[in-house]
């Protein structure tokens, strides 16, 4: 924190800073907040004496708590404990507190201090008391207006504004921070010029603060001007003749901007590197076309340089990984023509392995001959082995834990193996998985796994042993396909439904499956915008070793819709269905669809929504639906509020697929956002209770429900 904003406000801070003298009396008489724990350095100061104890107190801070204020200045107080005569540390701490108040909307906040250094003849170690007297002033909200923007909508431009809203749910007004308003004006200038509006001017902001009303108005006028475009591109014959039909299409008609020019320069450079020219020289010059001041002619000059072949390929820095694993990602052999795209592809493949902290491919002329290059793949390896201990609690599984042993570079082959053991109050599992992250250098990931598990569900106990072989491969940007085969022997399972013999529980599952996943969310763990879709199909049939015959499909979609700042709505729909080929009685309980629980309709306990037997035990069905909407709002720091509505059903026969007989949940939850994911507590109310349903259900779990 030190010095981050203090200098910017030093001149504008105003007020006086009272120095030494009388601090101890003031601490007793001013009614200040409770003393925070003292601070003491762990080593002697410059004088050689032991560090002093610094006791800090605050007065007048109603909008911000003492803990938050103390955290902001603890570095300065640490320095003071080492040198209690250093009043500049106290002065800077006061400025830092003013910075903090201004970022919270207290535009006229002032902080003064009282402080008494120990006397030269005082007993050592001494104690120093520091009192910060805060005059907060009103917290100001701002109303900002943009005008003159015709080419871009206001909401798109306001997204450039790093603003925050007041209120526990961030639903209040926008907090006035003058520096952020002025920064928006600079962002707008950059935004317009990057899109070809070279003459765009941003006037303002004009700011008017009304302290009596605790409000401010700000206005920014945008004078867009005319969009500049690229009217023509002239390319040097030396470059054009080498590339021929592989010449990248010139960006004629596109907005004239630095990004457009550099983008085309990069495209030309990559095309030449693909042709075997490792170090082309490309220069761009642009000038307005005569008679068309808003249309620019771009001239590309330069030369491709020397064409090269690969003389040798070496590996360096690998202590564990075999050379063959690294060289296998480079699709170039000595004697072949240089291809820069293959080198770039190798770099990406090596990083995707996850084995290396850093990868560099050096291109060195052999015997000072630029036409003969020696490639050196220099790597820094990550630690490949890990032991993970897992612990947690869920409303259904209750206490749970696990131990995972992993080595993602077994014998230096680049392949991984993991032993995963889990246990909870509802069961246990153990599994061994072997992974090849780049199968035959195709970019596909092969996984071969074996597992044994026992898990107690509300209406049955599932016991299985078997394994899966699967291959996953990216198809497009963030779109991944996965195909595979699974064999599970489930002949020791037990049903709790009545009559149990009517439910096919003991069976063999042999299936092929296909999955397609599209994940366009901005963050995998804490998404705020974007969408994700998932589709899967399973064919379970005797020809694949199964003792049953049916098909299963699942479709799931989640969309995150930003409203403003960190507030957003999440929408979820999930449809699941199965088609038996031997009649409904031949569908095992384990393969039926269930609903209700911490991640579906949250006014029901696990699997309690849907058909039940005569004893009230869930028996599942051939189809299910889940529909959810959740409003997520920040509360304080890493604490988040979720307001949700869920609906869902389970149907006995897939031929009757519908949204009839829905069960509902309306509720709220708190989420503590931690590095492992959100720890959440959700309470769901059932507005349409049926006999046997709970009115309220509380769920505790880790991870978002969707």
């Amino acid at each position: 924190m030190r010095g981050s904003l203090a200098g910017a406000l030093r001149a504008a801070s105003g007020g006086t800073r009272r120095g030494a003298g009388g601090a101890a009396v003031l601490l007793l008489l001013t009614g200040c907040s409770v003393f925070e724990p003292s601070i003491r350095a762990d080593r002697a100061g410059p004088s050689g004496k032991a560090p002093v104890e610094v006791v800090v107190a605050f007065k007048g801070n109603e909008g911000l708590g003492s803990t938050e204020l103390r955290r902001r200045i603890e570095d300065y107080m640490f320095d003071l404990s080492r040198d209690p005569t250093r009043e500049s540390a106290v002065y800077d701490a006061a400025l830092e507190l003013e910075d903090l108040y201004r970022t919270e909307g207290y535009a006229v906040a002032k902080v003064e201090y009282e402080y008494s250094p120990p006397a030269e003849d005082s007993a050592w170690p001494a104690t120093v008391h520091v009192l910060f007297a805060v005059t907060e002033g009103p917290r100001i909200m701002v109303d900002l207006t943009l005008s003159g923007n015709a080419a871009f909508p206001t909401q798109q431009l306001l997204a450039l504004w790093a603003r925050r809203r007041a209120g526990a749910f961030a639903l209040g007004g926008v907090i006035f921070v003058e520096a952020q308003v002025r920064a928006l004006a600079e962002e707008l200038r950059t935004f317009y010029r990057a899109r070809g509006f070279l003459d765009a001017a941003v006037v303002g902001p004009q700011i008017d603060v009304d302290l009596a009303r605790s409000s401010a108005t700000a206005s920014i006028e945008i004078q867009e001007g005319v969009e500049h475009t690229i009217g023509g591109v002239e390319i040097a014959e030396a470059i054009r003749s080498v590339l021929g039909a592989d010449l990248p299409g010139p960006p004629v008609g596109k907005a004239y901007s630095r990004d457009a020019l550099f983008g085309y320069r990069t495209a030309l450079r990559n095309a030449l590197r693909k042709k075997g020219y490792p170090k082309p020289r490309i220069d761009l010059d642009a000038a307005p076309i005569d008679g068309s001041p808003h249309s620019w002619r771009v001239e590309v000059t330069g030369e491709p340089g020397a064409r090269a072949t690969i003389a040798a390929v070496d590996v360096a820095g690998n202590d564990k990984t075999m050379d063959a694993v690294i060289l296998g990602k480079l699709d170039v052999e000595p004697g072949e023509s240089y291809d820069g795209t293959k080198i770039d592809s190798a770099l990406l493949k090596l990083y995707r392995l996850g084995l290396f902290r850093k990868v560099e491919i050096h291109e060195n002329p052999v015997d000072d001959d630029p036409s003969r290059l020696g490639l050196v793949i220099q790597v820094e390896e990550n630690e490949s082995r890990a032991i993970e201990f897992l612990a947690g609690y869920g409303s259904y599984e209750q206490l749970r834990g696990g131990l995972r042993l992993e080595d993602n570079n077994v014998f230096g082959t680049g392949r991984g193996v993991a032993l995963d053991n889990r246990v909870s109050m509802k069961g246990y599992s153990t599994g061994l998985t072997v992974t090849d992250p780049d199968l035959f250098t195709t970019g596909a990931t092969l996984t071969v796994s074996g597992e044994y598990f026992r898990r107690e569900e509300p209406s049955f106990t599932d016991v299985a042993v078997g394994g899966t072989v699967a291959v996953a491969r990216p198809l497009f940007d963030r779109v991944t396909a996965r195909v595979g085969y699974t064999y599970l022997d489930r002949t020791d399972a037990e049903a709790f439904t009545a009559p149990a013999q009517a439910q096919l529980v003991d069976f063999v599952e042999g299936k092929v499956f296909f999955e397609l996943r599209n994940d366009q969310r901005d963050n995998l763990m804490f998404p705020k915008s974007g969408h994700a879709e998932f589709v899967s199909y399973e064919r379970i049939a005797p020809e694949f070793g199964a003792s049953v015959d049916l098909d299963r499909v699942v479709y799931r979609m989640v969309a995150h819709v930003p409203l403003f700042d960190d507030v957003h709505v999440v929408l979820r729909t999930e449809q699941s269905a199965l088609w038996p080929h031997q009649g409904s009685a031949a569908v095992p309980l384990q393969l039926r669809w269930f609903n209700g629980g911490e991640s579906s309709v949250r006014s029901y306990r696990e699997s309690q929504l849907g058909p039940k037997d005569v004893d009230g035990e869930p028996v599942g069905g051939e189809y299910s639906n889940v529909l959810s909407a959740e409003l997520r709002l920040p509360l304080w720091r890493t604490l988040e509020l979720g307001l949700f509505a869920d609906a869902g059903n389970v149907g006995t026969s897939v031929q009757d697929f519908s949204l009839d007989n829905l069960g509902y949940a309306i509720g709220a939850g708190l989420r503590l956002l931690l590095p492992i994911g959100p720890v959440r507590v959700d309470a769901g109310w059932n507005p349409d209770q049926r006999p046997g349903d709970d009115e309220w259900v509380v769920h505790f779990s880790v991870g978002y429900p969707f």
Side-chain angles (χ1 to χ4, degrees):
M1 295 295 185
R2 175 168 310 181
S4 58
L5 293 174
L9 291 174
R10 191 180 302 271
S13 60
T16 59
R17 306 271 192 255
R18 286 176 292 177
V25 175
L26 279 172
L27 289 173
L28 296 174
L29 299 180
T30 54
C32 58
S33 57
V34 178
F35 285 127
E36 300 286 351
S38 58
I39 298 176
R40 186 194 298 273
D42 58 0
R43 58 186 183 276
S47 64
K49 295 183 178 180
V52 303
E53 182 180 25
V54 178
V55 179
V56 179
F58 301 94
K59 169 189 174 183
N61 56 309
E62 298 179 359
L64 300 180
S66 298
T67 301
E68 185 174 5
L69 298 179
R70 185 178 185 276
R71 185 182 299 113
R72 186 69 175 242
I73 63 171
E74 59 186 358
D75 285 349
Y76 298 103
M77 297 300 96
F78 179 87
D79 289 344
L80 184 65
S81 72
R82 297 187 61 219
D83 184 0
T85 65
R86 186 178 175 184
E87 185 175 353
S88 62
V90 187
Y91 180 84
D92 288 340
L95 291 177
E96 192 76 19
L97 293 175
E98 287 186 355
D99 290 343
L100 174 61
Y101 269 98
R102 283 167 172 75
T103 61
E104 294 293 332
Y106 297 90
V108 294
K110 297 185 183 300
V111 179
E112 298 180 342
Y113 64 85
E114 295 284 350
Y115 134 84
S116 296
E120 288 292 334
D121 56 352
S122 62
W124 210 271
T127 300
V128 172
H129 293 275
V130 182
L131 170 66
F132 293 97
V134 181
T135 304
E136 292 182 332
R139 194 182 198 192
I140 299 173
M141 303 295 116
V142 63
D143 183 16
L144 185 142
T145 303
L146 296 181
S147 61
N149 53 303
F152 304 98
T154 299
Q155 288 303 316
Q156 182 180 1
L157 300 180
L158 287 179
L160 304 172
W161 185 16
R163 63 194 188 277
R164 290 193 303 113
R165 293 183 179 271
F169 304 150
L171 294 176
V174 178
I175 297 170
F176 173 61
V177 180
E178 183 176 351
Q180 293 175 353
V181 175
R182 297 194 180 280
L184 173 61
E186 293 300 323
E187 290 288 341
L188 289 171
R189 292 185 182 95
T190 302
F191 177 89
Y192 269 90
R193 289 167 186 170
R195 285 156 181 80
F197 291 84
L198 305 185
D199 304 320
V202 178
V203 180
Q206 302 296 325
I207 300 174
D208 183 18
V209 179
D210 188 341
L211 295 178
R213 296 177 179 268
S214 300
S215 65
T217 59
S219 61
I220 297 177
E221 179 187 356
I222 301 170
Q223 299 171 357
E224 293 182 330
V226 178
E227 181 184 18
H228 292 236
T229 59
I230 298 175
V233 178
E234 297 179 0
I235 302 173
E237 181 60 28
I239 296 174
R240 182 185 294 275
S241 61
V242 166
L243 293 179
D246 296 322
L247 180 71
V252 176
K254 294 185 178 181
Y256 175 82
S257 66
R258 182 176 180 180
D259 289 345
L261 296 182
F262 283 166
Y264 190 59
R265 180 179 181 273
T266 299
L268 290 171
R269 181 176 180 274
N270 289 340
L272 289 168
R273 292 178 69 240
K274 182 176 176 61
K275 286 281 190 178
Y277 298 89
K279 293 185 177 181
R281 181 179 63 82
I282 301 174
D283 299 314
L284 281 77
D285 192 19
I289 297 176
D290 292 342
S292 301
H294 303 117
S295 183
W296 291 69
R297 177 180 290 107
V298 178
E299 183 180 5
V300 180
T301 59
E303 57 184 20
R307 191 170 187 178
T309 58
I310 304 302
V313 181
D314 295 309
V315 179
N318 53 317
D319 295 327
K320 182 175 182 180
T321 311
M322 294 189 298
D323 288 358
V325 173
I326 300 173
L327 294 173
K329 308 309 175 190
L330 181 63
D331 189 21
V332 176
E333 296 288 341
E336 293 184 5
S337 177
Y338 174 89
D339 186 340
T341 59
K342 291 183 177 180
I343 293 175
D344 295 341
S345 176
L347 195 66
L348 182 60
K349 288 179 180 179
L350 288 168
Y351 270 117
R352 282 179 174 171
L353 288 177
L355 303 178
F356 308 111
R357 183 181 302 109
K358 184 178 180 181
V359 182
E360 294 178 336
I361 301 181
H362 302 285
E363 304 171 2
N364 305 314
V366 176
D367 299 329
D368 295 326
D369 183 356
S371 66
R372 299 177 65 242
L373 292 181
L375 302 182
V376 178
I377 306 176
Q378 181 78 41
V379 300
E380 292 182 15
E381 293 178 317
N382 287 320
E383 177 58 52
S384 63
R385 296 176 180 174
I387 301 176
E388 296 178 0
F389 296 93
L390 309 173
Y393 182 88
S395 55
Y396 177 68
E397 290 186 317
Q398 301 177 29
L399 292 174
R400 55 193 178 196
L403 172 65
R404 179 181 175 86
L405 307 176
E406 183 177 19
D407 186 344
N408 62 5
N409 195 5
V410 178
F411 305 123
T413 62
R415 298 179 177 89
V417 62
L419 178 63
D420 207 345
N421 301 280
R422 306 289 178 98
V423 63
S424 74
M425 304 296 287
K426 295 296 182 180
Y428 53 86
S429 68
T430 184
L432 182 67
T433 301
V434 178
T435 304
D436 186 340
D438 191 12
L439 181 64
F440 303 132
T441 68
T442 61
T445 299
L446 170 70
T447 56
V448 180
S449 62
E451 63 177 330
Y452 172 79
F453 66 83
R454 183 183 188 279
R455 179 177 172 84
E456 181 181 326
E457 300 290 352
S459 56
F460 61 89
T461 296
D462 195 13
V463 181
V465 60
T468 296
V469 179
V471 176
R473 191 180 192 283
L475 300 181
F476 313 104
D477 184 30
R478 300 191 179 186
V479 178
T480 303
R482 183 171 179 260
V483 296
Y485 171 77
T486 295
Y487 181 90
L488 288 176
D489 186 340
R490 295 173 123 147
T491 55
D492 291 327
E494 177 184 2
F496 307 143
T497 54
Q501 62 272 19
Q503 312 296 338
L504 182 61
V505 177
D506 290 346
F507 71 103
V508 176
E509 178 183 356
K511 68 181 180 184
V512 293
F513 60 86
F514 169 77
E515 299 173 353
L516 187 64
R517 188 183 305 274
N518 174 35
D519 197 336
Q520 303 295 328
R521 295 174 297 173
D522 62 333
N523 187 289
L524 296 182
M525 188 170 291
F526 302 105
K528 297 289 180 63
S529 64
H531 58 89
E533 294 81 26
F534 173 80
V535 179
S536 73
Y537 168 73
E538 300 175 357
R539 178 73 180 105
I540 306 172
E543 54 263 35
F544 302 122
S547 59
V548 294
D549 192 357
L550 55 91
D551 301 301
R552 290 174 21 125
V553 296
V554 174
Y555 170 75
R556 183 185 309 119
M557 186 276 290
V558 177
H560 298 260
V561 183
L563 298 181
F564 49 83
D565 301 336
D566 290 330
V567 178
H568 68 289
V569 170
V570 191
L571 306 174
R572 182 263 298 266
T573 179
E574 182 173 330
Q575 284 71 45
S576 307
L578 64 85
W579 286 265
H581 297 279
Q582 298 174 344
S584 297
V587 179
L589 273 174
Q590 299 98 308
L591 298 182
R592 299 179 189 179
W593 304 113
F594 294 84
N595 209 331
E598 61 191 32
S599 296
S600 54
V601 182
R602 283 166 279 183
S603 62
Y604 291 84
R605 301 188 187 279
E606 191 74 19
S607 303
Q608 296 300 317
L609 172 58
K612 295 182 173 63
D613 65 8
V614 294
D615 294 330
E617 297 292 345
V619 295
E622 294 182 0
Y623 73 87
S624 73
N625 293 281
V626 181
L627 305 168
S628 297
E630 184 167 288
L631 180 66
R632 295 176 182 169
L633 314 97
L635 288 179
W636 181 77
R637 295 188 182 276
T638 60
L639 192 63
E640 182 182 77
L641 172 69
L643 304 175
F644 62 82
D646 302 324
N649 66 0
V650 176
T652 302
S653 175
V654 71
Q655 284 75 21
D656 300 325
F657 191 98
S658 71
L659 291 176
D660 296 336
N661 299 316
L662 292 171
Y664 299 94
I666 299 174
L670 291 176
R671 289 82 191 273
L672 181 62
L673 307 183
L674 300 177
I676 61 171
V679 177
R680 62 184 172 96
V681 178
D682 287 338
W685 171 62
N686 190 338
D688 186 20
Q689 299 170 56
R690 302 162 190 172
D693 288 349
D694 294 307
E695 181 179 7
W696 284 93
V697 174
V698 177
H699 299 283
F700 179 86
S701 189
V702 177
Y704 281 119
F706 50 88

